[in-house]
């Protein structure tokens, strides 16, 4: 059994988890800084870095205690080294390297996007490759064809806002709070998704996405009809986003001959998206992997799980590596 401590500090969650063999989660501690950033309506990088510094030791200690292990029981320590906020990433990377040196164990640097992709496997390790993966978070929206471990092709990306960003911006405009995704998700269950026919941007136009026009459409519709029910706006907006995400994921799977659909990233916690991807799987005879709800948004378990696969394929990472805010998904071809 290989037991790994995974550390995630790329944005506004300080997280650590202990995971064995890429799927047995012994602990997963996430300390969200949402309250610190809410009054600014978004993540403030310097505030995030400082909060990570204050929280990191406690979060790691909690993850170890909850798992009933200490540093001596770990086989490796992993941290997210990008993409993300520079100062925030450095806190996790530095902590992981310090542990690696003092405990005499290997250090593994993990790509945040790859980690979101592996979150679905924490529950289901039987994969049928190639898989079509939709990564939808606050910072990214992309469709990836995974041909093998570490072998990815990006076939679609957003040309402007990320899906999570669109949720957050629309919620902010509607005065609903931050982060907007979970709030719109909740409100939508009481609204009518067919109430307002918002545009489905680029629906039949390749595999790239665009969400900034949809956000503008919501704003102008609300200004034009101030009496609209907020739950109806939320549900109609969410339906437009989900329609586009699911349609393009299925098209990408068709084109790549992928028999498996996977989603990951914060927006993969969205209930409507989960239902619709499951439906799409049933309709097109494909298997669907959804990460457990708690592992959709940023967490340390996905880092530890990815590190396990990565260690098997490539071994540990050099301690000389740094933090890379603009890190891309490693692609082939
Ligand atoms: O993956 P994540 O925790 O951080 C990034 O890597 O960006 O994703 C955060 C994003 C936020 O934009 C948040 O509003 C969105 O995921 N999100 C959701 C839901 N839960 C989180 N969006 C829609 N529905 C949800 N239930
Ligand atoms: Zn993320």
């Amino acid at each position: 059994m290989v037991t790994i401590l995974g550390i995630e500090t790329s944005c506004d969650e300080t997280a650590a988890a202990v995971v064995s063999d890429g799927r047995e989660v012994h602990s997963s501690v996430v300390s969200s800084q949402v309250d610190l950033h809410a009054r600014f309506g978004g993540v403030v990088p310097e505030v995030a870095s400082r909060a990570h510094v204050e929280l990191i030791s406690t979060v790691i200690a909690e993850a170890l205690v909850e798992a009933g292990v200490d540093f001596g029981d770990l086989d490796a320590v992993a941290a997210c080294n990008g993409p993300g906020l520079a100062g925030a990433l450095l806190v996790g990377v530095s902590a992981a390297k310090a542990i690696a040196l003092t405990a005499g164990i290997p250090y593994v640097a993990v790509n945040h996007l790859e980690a979101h992709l592996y979150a679905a496997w924490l529950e289901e390790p039987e994969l049928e490759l190639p898989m079509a993966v939709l990564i939808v978070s606050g910072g990214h929206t992309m469709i990836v064809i995974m041909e093998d471990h570490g072998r990815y092709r990006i076939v679609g990306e957003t040309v402007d806002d990320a899906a999570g960003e669109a949720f957050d911006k629309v919620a902010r405009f509607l005065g609903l709070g931050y982060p907007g995704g979970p709030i719109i998700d909740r409100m939508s269950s009481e609204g009518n998704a067919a109430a307002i026919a918002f545009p489905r941007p680029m629906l039949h136009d390749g595999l790239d996405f665009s969400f900034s026009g949809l956000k503008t459409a919501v704003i102008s519709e609300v200004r034009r009809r101030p009496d609209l029910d907020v739950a109806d706006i939320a549900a109609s907006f969410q339906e437009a986003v989900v329609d586009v995400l699911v349609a393009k994921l299925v098209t990408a799977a068709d084109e790549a001959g992928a028999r498996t659909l996977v989603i990951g990233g914060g927006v993969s916690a969205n209930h409507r998206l989960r239902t619709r991807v499951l439906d799409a799987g049933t309709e097109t005879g494909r298997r669907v992997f959804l990460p457990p709800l708690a592992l959709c948004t940023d967490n340390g378990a996905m880092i530890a799980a990815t590190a396990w696969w990565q260690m098997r394929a490539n071994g540990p990472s050099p301690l000389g590596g740094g933090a890379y805010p603009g890190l891309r998904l490693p692609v082939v071809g």
Side-chain angles (χ1 to χ4, degrees):
M1 195 165 74
V2 174
T3 300
I4 301 181
L5 170 68
I7 300 172
E8 156 63 44
T9 62
S10 67
C11 192
D12 61 344
E13 327 279 0
T14 315
V18 177
V19 180
S20 290
D21 294 345
R23 57 179 307 227
E24 202 181 324
V25 182
H26 303 293
S27 65
S28 178
V29 178
V30 180
S31 174
S32 175
Q33 308 173 5
V34 157
D35 294 347
L36 285 179
H37 301 286
R39 65 197 170 105
F40 302 108
V43 178
V44 182
E46 182 57 24
V47 173
S49 313
R50 286 172 191 230
H52 285 307
V53 171
E54 280 169 21
L55 292 164
I56 190 77
S57 302
T58 317
V59 167
I60 291 173
E62 254 182 63
L64 295 175
V65 169
E66 229 177 77
V69 299
D70 55 35
F71 288 139
D73 300 313
L74 299 174
D75 297 295
V77 54
C80 168
N81 71 337
L85 303 168
L89 288 165
L90 273 173
V91 177
V93 166
S94 310
K97 287 186 191 175
I99 293 167
L101 283 170
T102 48
I105 53 177
Y107 160 70
V108 190
V110 171
N111 183 309
H112 187 82
L113 297 169
E114 211 168 353
H116 273 309
L117 192 154
Y118 273 90
W121 296 358
L122 276 156
E123 292 228 320
E124 177 56 79
E126 273 177 41
L127 303 160
E128 198 178 336
L129 297 162
M131 318 193 299
V133 190
L134 174 69
I135 301 177
V136 265
S137 70
H140 296 88
T141 296
M142 54 174 71
I143 297 179
V144 177
I145 302 300
M146 178 169 184
E147 295 173 349
D148 205 341
H149 293 283
R151 284 183 68 83
Y152 312 107
R153 268 190 306 123
I154 299 174
V155 293
E157 266 184 289
T158 182
V159 298
D160 41 53
D161 292 353
E165 197 179 348
F167 272 94
D168 294 341
K169 285 180 175 171
V170 165
R172 178 151 65 164
F173 170 73
L174 296 172
L176 299 176
Y178 172 85
I183 303 172
I184 289 188
D185 189 351
R186 258 195 321 275
M187 290 204 78
S188 296
S189 60
E190 285 142 37
N192 174 7
I196 309 153
F198 287 126
R200 270 62 177 158
M202 298 174 70
L203 185 58
H204 303 294
D205 188 7
L207 294 175
D208 283 339
F209 302 92
S210 165
F211 291 111
S212 135
L214 175 58
K215 172 196 68 196
T216 312
V218 173
I219 294 173
S220 37
E221 189 65 10
V222 172
R223 292 210 169 118
R224 203 170 64 81
R225 297 165 60 194
D227 55 317
L228 281 172
D229 179 58
V230 181
D232 286 350
I233 303 168
S236 302
F237 160 75
Q238 176 178 275
E239 199 66 18
V241 175
V242 169
D243 267 355
V244 180
L245 293 176
V246 175
K248 293 196 185 230
L249 178 62
V250 171
T251 307
D254 285 344
E255 288 178 3
R259 310 234 340 105
T260 312
L261 304 178
V262 174
I263 58 176
V267 183
S268 65
N270 185 273
H271 290 83
R272 186 68 185 142
L273 177 62
R274 295 170 80 88
T275 304
R276 291 281 307 279
V277 173
L278 283 172
D279 290 349
T282 309
E283 280 158 25
T284 65
R286 291 188 166 97
R287 291 193 66 191
V288 172
F289 291 83
L290 305 176
L293 269 185
L295 301 180
C296 289
T297 43
D298 295 347
N299 64 84
M302 68 181 191
I303 303 295
T306 313
W308 182 75
W309 289 98
Q310 211 171 297
M311 283 251 290
R312 281 176 20 141
N314 307 321
S317 310
L319 276 172
Y324 305 96
L327 193 66
R328 305 265 304 163
L329 196 67
V331 291
V332 291

